[in-house]
Amino acid sequence: MKITVAGTGYVGLVTAVCMAEKGHEVNCIDINKEKIEMLKSGHSPIYENGLEELMQKNKEKLHFTLDSQEAYQDAEIIFIGVGTPEKRDGSANLKYINEVVDQISEIVQQECVVVVKSTVPIGTNDKIEKKLKSKNTKIDVVSNPEFLAQGTAVHDTLCASRIVIGAENKRAKEIMLKVYEKFDAPFVLTNRRSAEMIKYASNDFLALKISYINEIANLCEEIGANVQDVALGMGYDPRIGSKFLKAGIGYGGSCFPKDTKALHWLSNLHDHELKTVKAAIEVNEQQKLRLIKKARKKYNNFEGLTIAVLGLTFKPDTDDLREAPSLTNIPIFLEEGAKVKAWDPVGIPNFKKIYPLEIEYCNSIEETIKDADMCFIFTEWSEIVEFDLDKYSELMKRAVIYDGRNIYDNETLKNKGIHYFCIGK
Ligand code: UDX
């Protein structure tokens, strides 16, 4: 089928490449010239496992353009995968979606299904369809949320846990089933508003699960329990499940923080307070400062101290910094006059855009921890997990570790004379 994908970020590009892999002819459009040029030369502007290889493999079926006429004029299906970032009040910013919809409305004369992949507030698909149908009654709008996690986005799309299709008529539903013909996954066929809600309800539930285990972790510290054992014991119950029970320094990324706030905002708009989601947001904001709170027990402030930071991205296997705990903590170190040395296997170029001079960026973990007074771990990169623990005492001025991801064993570190502070144990 002839598919056009608007937006070449995590959602758009991964969707486009996976659709090409399944045999479709895919045209990708973006407003960013640099990105399109990079994509045309066969390179991915985002760091995502397996994506570039799949782009190469399907290069005959993938086309990239800046020209909206070329992109939309004969598309049978148009996927919208542009960003819906958070506005200051917590609501979703639909500016980019609206721009794409305006262009589609101007150009598309043919029969076409417009598929909204971006996460949008409930009711947005209805508004989009109303706008498009006012110019072309042959357009249908379908909500088809994505459930891909960064780092495993290609796998999550090709081997989807489920494919949710929110359509209001038989024709649109049938076309979507044809688009996904070669995907082996359970299908949830529903109406548009339910599909939009499935996305928010799923993400907010996962965020809530993390905030819940983080609160339990904080209590475990007070009462002398070990949250990792607690999570293990809970996770064997199939009704609970073992995933997303890793306590730590809070969730980040481009989805959970924004989607919890957006649903909370939307519920308030309907005079309906979502108390559990509100709690998840509040707990997460506090959790991001949990290690600093611990360090404060020993140090009044960080002035004059050398702080080694290991891990800058919001999670491993991505170069994305959005809502990363490093961005909450490092400014506090800097404001109080600490010297910050940092290492991350892929996140440094993006971090440099925010802090070009204030931080000493290092090429290795050894170089980062050398002569440091303390070390903060914000991301569980495998290089940090597998690092030779003896080097902490050998290289640091004082072997003090604040670990936001619980990657080491307390006893082992204690036996090596390292002061180790983590979360919930
Ligand atoms: C998430 C959802 O998983 C995905 O389905 C949705 O489409 C987009 O949002 P992503 O943001 O890429 O994906 O990352 P995810 O792996 O879910 O992690 C989100 C955050 O939660 C990270 O900061 C991670 O460190 C944190 N996390 C995750 C925990 O703190 N504990 C856990 O047990 C799991």
Side-chain angles (χ1 to χ4, degrees):
M1 295 175 100
K2 275 188 128 180
I3 294 180
T4 289
V5 179
T8 58
Y10 283 97
V11 175
L13 185 58
V14 174
T15 302
V17 174
C18 292
M19 286 297 165
E21 170 71 7
K22 294 289 185 185
H24 298 296
E25 198 65 32
V26 187
N27 219 337
C28 302
I29 175 165
D30 203 290
I31 49 170
N32 186 320
K33 196 169 168 225
E34 248 174 77
K35 268 194 186 176
I36 291 295
E37 270 163 17
M38 202 170 166
L39 287 161
K40 277 186 171 170
S41 72
H43 298 291
S44 164
I46 51 169
Y47 175 88
E48 190 58 53
N49 215 351
L51 187 61
E52 221 169 76
E53 290 85 331
L54 225 52
M55 269 174 68
Q56 299 283 348
K57 185 180 162 205
N58 293 291
K59 61 175 189 271
E60 305 299 323
K61 283 176 270 165
L62 279 166
H63 315 277
F64 302 98
T65 182
L66 288 162
D67 181 355
S68 46
Q69 193 70 35
E70 186 190 326
Y72 300 128
Q73 67 188 1
D74 52 15
E76 292 173 77
I77 320 282
I78 300 171
F79 277 97
I80 303 182
V82 295
T84 51
E86 182 186 322
K87 284 205 272 189
R88 272 179 193 277
D89 63 1
S91 64
N93 187 344
L94 300 178
K95 177 173 173 261
Y96 304 108
I97 294 247
N98 290 335
E99 282 168 8
V100 170
V101 171
D102 284 345
Q103 285 186 337
I104 295 174
S105 159
E106 266 171 42
I107 297 166
V108 175
Q109 312 279 321
Q110 69 276 23
E111 215 170 76
C112 181
V113 175
V114 171
V115 186
V116 180
K117 271 234 161 268
S118 311
T119 304
V120 290
I122 294 101
T124 307
N125 276 268
D126 289 357
K127 288 185 194 146
I128 295 175
E129 187 172 271
K130 200 169 164 210
K131 190 168 191 182
L132 292 174
K133 274 211 190 289
S134 70
K135 283 260 186 83
N136 176 352
T137 52
K138 292 174 289 181
I139 296 185
D140 286 315
V141 174
V142 170
S143 166
N144 171 221
E146 53 76 26
F147 300 96
L148 56 87
Q150 286 170 229
T152 52
V154 172
H155 173 269
D156 295 346
T157 306
L158 290 176
C159 309
S161 54
R162 72 285 208 195
I163 291 164
V164 174
I165 296 171
E168 300 294 326
N169 66 50
K170 199 163 160 249
R171 186 189 83 94
K173 227 174 251 180
E174 277 165 5
I175 290 176
M176 289 307 288
L177 290 175
K178 212 167 151 216
V179 169
Y180 281 107
E181 202 173 49
K182 295 204 177 130
F183 287 72
D184 181 20
F187 283 82
V188 179
L189 299 173
T190 181
N191 61 25
R192 280 195 300 244
R193 284 174 182 246
S194 305
E196 291 170 322
M197 188 62 178
I198 288 170
K199 171 69 189 190
Y200 276 110
S202 302
N203 269 3
D204 290 15
F205 182 78
L206 292 172
L208 184 55
K209 200 172 176 189
I210 298 169
S211 276
Y212 177 75
I213 199 67
N214 283 338
E215 276 212 291
I216 294 292
N218 298 344
L219 183 61
C220 281
E221 287 175 12
E222 301 300 325
I223 59 169
N226 179 328
V227 73
Q228 284 176 321
D229 293 344
V230 173
L232 184 71
M234 289 168 66
Y236 279 119
D237 184 333
R239 293 169 303 176
I240 298 174
S242 59
K243 294 193 175 141
F244 280 70
L245 282 182
K246 262 196 270 158
I249 192 164
Y251 58 76
S254 62
C255 292
F256 291 169
K258 145 178 104 67
D259 294 347
T260 42
K261 287 180 204 155
L263 193 62
H264 185 248
W265 184 90
L266 189 81
S267 68
N268 276 343
L269 195 70
H270 290 269
D271 282 330
H272 182 90
E273 170 88 289
L274 276 180
K275 294 194 181 80
T276 47
V277 175
K278 186 175 179 219
I281 298 167
E282 285 171 4
V283 168
N284 199 54
E285 271 160 21
Q286 290 298 314
Q287 199 68 13
K288 284 193 173 173
L289 295 167
R290 186 80 190 164
L291 290 182
I292 286 199
K293 218 170 152 195
K294 275 177 200 272
R296 294 265 190 239
K297 289 191 181 151
K298 228 175 147 215
Y299 308 87
N300 282 337
N301 65 59
F302 300 108
E303 194 182 352
L305 297 172
T306 300
I307 301 180
V309 170
L310 300 180
L312 296 170
T313 55
F314 84 94
K315 68 170 191 179
D317 300 321
T318 175
D319 62 353
D320 200 332
L321 299 174
R322 281 176 285 181
E323 304 281 340
S326 61
L327 285 172
T328 316
N329 286 269
I330 290 179
I332 297 173
F333 304 150
L334 293 172
E335 260 163 38
E336 292 191 8
K339 175 181 170 187
V340 177
K341 296 169 82 181
W343 176 85
D344 188 287
V346 297
I348 291 178
N350 282 341
F351 218 81
K352 266 190 187 163
K353 290 181 198 157
I354 310 168
Y355 292 105
L357 303 168
E358 302 82 342
I359 294 169
E360 186 182 325
Y361 296 99
C362 301
N363 293 316
S364 67
I365 301 179
E366 284 91 337
E367 190 190 334
T368 321
I369 61 173
K370 181 137 184 20
D371 298 328
D373 292 285
M374 55 177 77
C375 172
F376 279 77
I377 299 172
F378 293 133
T379 322
E380 66 276 37
W381 285 102
S382 58
E383 291 90 331
I384 311 172
V385 178
E386 287 151 20
F387 187 62
D388 177 359
L389 298 176
D390 290 322
K391 293 210 173 141
Y392 283 110
S393 346
E394 265 173 48
L395 296 169
M396 291 179 75
K397 200 190 287 171
R398 290 185 212 119
V400 181
I401 300 178
Y402 290 93
D403 175 6
R405 299 297 178 181
N406 285 349
I407 58 180
Y408 299 138
D409 175 58
N410 298 48
E411 275 306 299
T412 313
L413 267 74
K414 196 173 160 199
N415 292 338
K416 289 182 185 294
I418 300 169
H419 297 277
Y420 181 61
F421 303 91
C422 53
I423 287 170
K425 51 175 193 162

